[in-house]
């Protein structure tokens, strides 16, 4: 032990195998993180949020109709304050009921979930769910 | 036989060091981990800025290992290995804690998760490295390294420690909206007063460091003016640049006039200057 210290490699754990493993993990993490970020810098073209809404299965909860909604951002920038509006239209195209919710943030390529409540049965009407707007954080 | 024992001991000591590093990473990164503005920055801040922050942090970690680490030799390879190990600990800590605290959840894109972890790894790695080297000194029976420093204080080392302290404090405070809000509300005269107060407080720290390090009063003690220029003013310059860099990195200057850029930088530089000055006292 004393000899090891005396060699000039001051750290007591200078040449241990675990140290090299830890350093290898650190190097891999550093490369993956900076690599991913720089890849995004090169390929990212600053496209505004492109948001798609996917409605889930309609269920009833205490007499109201619930529709889960999944939103995905296909653009390359984060949308904040994303307003999602669901509308029920009758045969003549008149809006008979409206429901909405707002998402704080929708990062690029990420998916967030929310839900809409309707008093009328969406099965009897034409349902449309669409994102109406966003702002940049 | 003796060699095998030695290597097993070295491995064991390193594992103990890693556990200690995990503790350091936790202490340094928890305040940021539990700040939601930081999670948001993880996905919306500029990718170039985040890559730059990561790339700038790594040489800083190597330098930190060089200046604070408990090796008596100046082996750069060793410092790089230590910095990488500290980074690994910080990243693993972030990878474990993000899902546990549901900061990363199903539906989050790879880019979003990488962004959050990259941000979190910066203070975590600083904490891990400090714990590896600083707390390790307590186990070293001889305090030769520390005494060596006090006899020959190195000016670049002192400036580096100030940079590190400023970086850590500004990383913690810059993500919050309050920096921008305070900057917007302050009249220019108040900003000026804040600069004076920052300088005064920094100088108080500088003076107390000199006082602490001085074993032999009256022997080559530098004058106040020289101290002020060499440490306080130079340190405040470093603090301002660090604050400016961090605020720019976090996109805090977008759509803001030049006067507000100065005001917000001065606001962040206030805590950062305390961090810078205190780092010299603590490390």
């Amino acid at each position: 032990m004393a000899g090891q210290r005396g060699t000039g490699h001051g750290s007591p754990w200078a040449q241990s195998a675990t140290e090299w493993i830890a350093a290898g993990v650190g190097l891999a993490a550093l490369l993956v993180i900076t690599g991913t970020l720089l890849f995004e810098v090169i390929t990212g073209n600053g496209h505004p949020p492109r948001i798609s809404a996917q409605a889930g299965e309609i269920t009833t909860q205490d007499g109201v109709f619930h529709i889960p909604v999944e939103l995905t951002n296909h653009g390359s920038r984060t949308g904040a304050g994303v307003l999602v509006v669901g509308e029920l239209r009758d045969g003549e195209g008149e809006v008979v009921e409206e429901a909405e919710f707002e998402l704080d943030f929708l990062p690029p390529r990420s998916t967030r979930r929310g839900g809409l409540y309707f008093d009328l049965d969406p099965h009897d009407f034409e349902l449309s769910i669409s994102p109406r707007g966003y702002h940049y954080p | 036989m003796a060699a095998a024992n030695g290597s097993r001991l070295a491995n064991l000591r390193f594992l103990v060091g890693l556990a200690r590093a995990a503790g350091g990473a936790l202490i340094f990164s928890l305040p940021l981990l539990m700040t939601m503005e930081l999670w948001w920055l993880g996905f919306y801040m500029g990718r170039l800025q985040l890559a730059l922050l990561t790339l700038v942090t790594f040489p800083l970690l190597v330098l930190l290992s060089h200046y604070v680490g408990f090796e008596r030799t100046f082996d750069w390879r060793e410092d790089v290995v230590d910095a990488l190990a500290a980074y690994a600990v910080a990243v693993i800590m972030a990878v474990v804690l993000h899902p546990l605290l549901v900061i990363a959840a199903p539906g989050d894109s790879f880019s979003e998760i990488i962004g959050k972890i990259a941000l979190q790894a910066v203070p975590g790695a600083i904490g891990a490295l400090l714990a590896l080297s600083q707390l390790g000194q307590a186990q070293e029976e001889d305090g030769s390294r520390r005494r060596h420093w006090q006899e020959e204080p190195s000016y670049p080392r002192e400036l580096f420690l100030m940079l590190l302290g400023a970086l850590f404090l500004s990383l913690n405070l810059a993500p919050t909206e309050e920096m921008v809000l305070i900057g917007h509300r302050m009249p220019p005269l108040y900003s000026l007063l804040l600069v004076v107060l920052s300088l005064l407080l920094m100088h108080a720290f500088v003076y107390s460091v000199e006082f602490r390090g001085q074993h032999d009063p009256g022997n080559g003690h530098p004058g106040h003016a020289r101290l002020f220029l060499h440490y306080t003013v130079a340190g405040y310059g470093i603090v301002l640049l660090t604050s400016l860099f961090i605020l720019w990195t976090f996109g805090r200057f977008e759509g803001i006039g030049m006067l507000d850029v100065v005001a917000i930088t001065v606001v962040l530089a206030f805590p950062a200057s305390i961090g810078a000055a205190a780092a010299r006292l603590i490390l």
Side-chain angles (χ1 to χ4, degrees):
Chain A
M1 191 63 206
Q4 211 178 40
R5 280 207 200 175
T7 56
H9 296 277
S11 165
W13 35 271
Q15 296 119 335
S16 68
T18 31
E19 183 174 7
W20 287 107
I21 294 168
V25 172
L27 184 64
L30 196 66
L31 289 178
V32 168
I33 287 172
T34 49
T36 306
L37 294 171
L38 289 174
F39 177 77
E40 282 185 78
V41 170
I42 295 162
T43 58
N45 22 30
H47 280 317
R50 195 157 57 80
I51 298 163
S52 69
Q54 179 91 41
E57 201 179 323
I58 302 168
T59 53
T60 48
Q61 299 176 348
D62 308 318
V64 294
F65 296 90
H66 171 251
I67 305 175
V69 181
E70 204 177 83
L71 292 140
T72 306
N73 181 356
H74 305 280
S76 57
R77 293 189 63 181
T78 297
V82 179
L83 181 67
V84 181
V85 176
E87 287 173 334
L88 297 181
R89 287 168 198 273
D90 60 17
E92 280 128 47
E94 287 293 306
V95 175
V96 291
E97 197 182 348
E98 218 179 63
E100 60 175 49
F101 68 86
E102 198 185 301
L103 266 187
D104 287 343
F105 293 101
L106 188 55
R109 287 174 296 282
S110 284
T111 300
R112 297 281 194 268
R113 288 179 189 84
L116 296 168
Y117 295 117
F118 289 103
D119 290 325
L120 298 168
D121 187 347
H123 292 108
D124 302 336
F125 301 91
E126 193 191 324
L127 167 73
S128 70
I129 297 171
S130 56
R132 287 294 168 83
Y134 67 90
H135 63 83
Y136 286 125
Chain B
M1 178 65 193
N5 260 342
S7 117
R8 201 182 312 143
L9 197 69
N11 275 317
L12 188 71
R13 288 204 66 168
F14 184 67
L15 284 176
V16 171
L18 279 186
R20 209 184 275 137
L26 207 54
I27 292 168
F28 273 64
S29 63
L30 269 182
L32 281 171
L33 186 68
M34 295 189 164
T35 304
M36 61 184 177
E37 282 92 342
L38 204 86
W39 316 337
W40 301 339
L41 279 168
F43 55 74
Y44 80 67
M45 71 184 280
R47 283 352 209 171
L48 181 66
Q49 281 88 336
L50 190 47
L52 264 179
L53 181 66
T54 305
L55 290 174
V56 165
T57 305
F58 189 69
L60 289 183
L61 291 175
V62 176
L63 274 174
L64 180 63
S65 170
H66 177 69
Y67 282 131
V68 187
F70 60 4
E71 286 116 56
R72 273 161 223 85
T73 54
F74 294 106
D75 185 347
W76 284 103
R77 276 172 310 176
E78 188 92 343
D79 291 327
V80 170
V81 166
D82 287 2
L84 283 172
Y87 195 75
V89 169
V91 167
I92 289 169
M93 192 67 86
V95 166
V96 170
L97 286 178
H98 275 74
L100 183 67
L101 301 175
V102 208
I103 299 166
D108 292 359
S109 64
F110 185 64
S111 151
E112 178 178 353
I113 294 169
I114 283 282
K116 286 172 179 171
I117 289 172
L119 253 184
Q120 206 56 57
V122 175
I126 294 173
L129 201 52
L130 281 178
L132 265 181
S133 34
Q134 193 74 1
L135 300 179
Q137 278 178 351
Q139 278 201 348
E140 290 290 282
E141 277 149 36
D142 56 334
S144 61
R145 177 73 185 254
R146 185 153 276 264
R147 257 183 272 118
H148 170 75
W149 281 341
Q150 284 176 356
E151 279 157 19
E152 297 171 52
S154 122
Y155 187 55
R157 175 181 179 268
E158 299 298 301
L159 291 186
F160 173 77
L161 290 183
M162 288 203 264
L163 169 68
L164 198 81
L167 179 72
F168 182 65
L169 260 282
S170 42
L171 263 180
N172 270 280
L173 291 160
T176 64
E177 294 287 327
E178 283 82 347
M179 296 302 121
V180 176
L181 185 67
I182 296 171
H184 280 319
R185 287 161 57 114
M186 273 179 116
L189 178 66
Y190 283 40
S191 298
L192 213 60
L193 287 174
L194 193 60
V195 172
V196 173
L197 181 64
S198 305
L199 281 168
L200 279 176
L201 287 171
M202 270 191 97
H203 192 66
F205 272 97
V206 165
Y207 190 74
S208 72
V209 170
E210 284 311 309
F211 187 71
R212 185 194 67 164
Q214 194 186 6
H215 301 299
D216 189 5
N219 176 23
H221 186 72
H224 251 297
R226 217 188 119 219
L227 265 185
F228 187 72
L229 272 179
H230 270 228
Y231 289 105
T232 312
V233 173
Y236 193 64
I238 289 172
V239 165
L240 280 180
L241 288 176
T242 309
S243 303
L244 200 69
F245 173 70
I246 293 296
L247 286 167
W248 171 77
T249 299
F250 288 172
R252 287 278 177 253
F253 294 147
E254 272 165 35
I256 279 178
M258 202 56 210
L259 215 63
D260 276 332
V261 167
V262 175
I264 296 166
T265 306
V266 166
V267 170
L268 184 61
F270 175 55
S273 63
I274 307 294
R280 284 187 64 213
L281 198 66
I282 296 163
L283 297 178

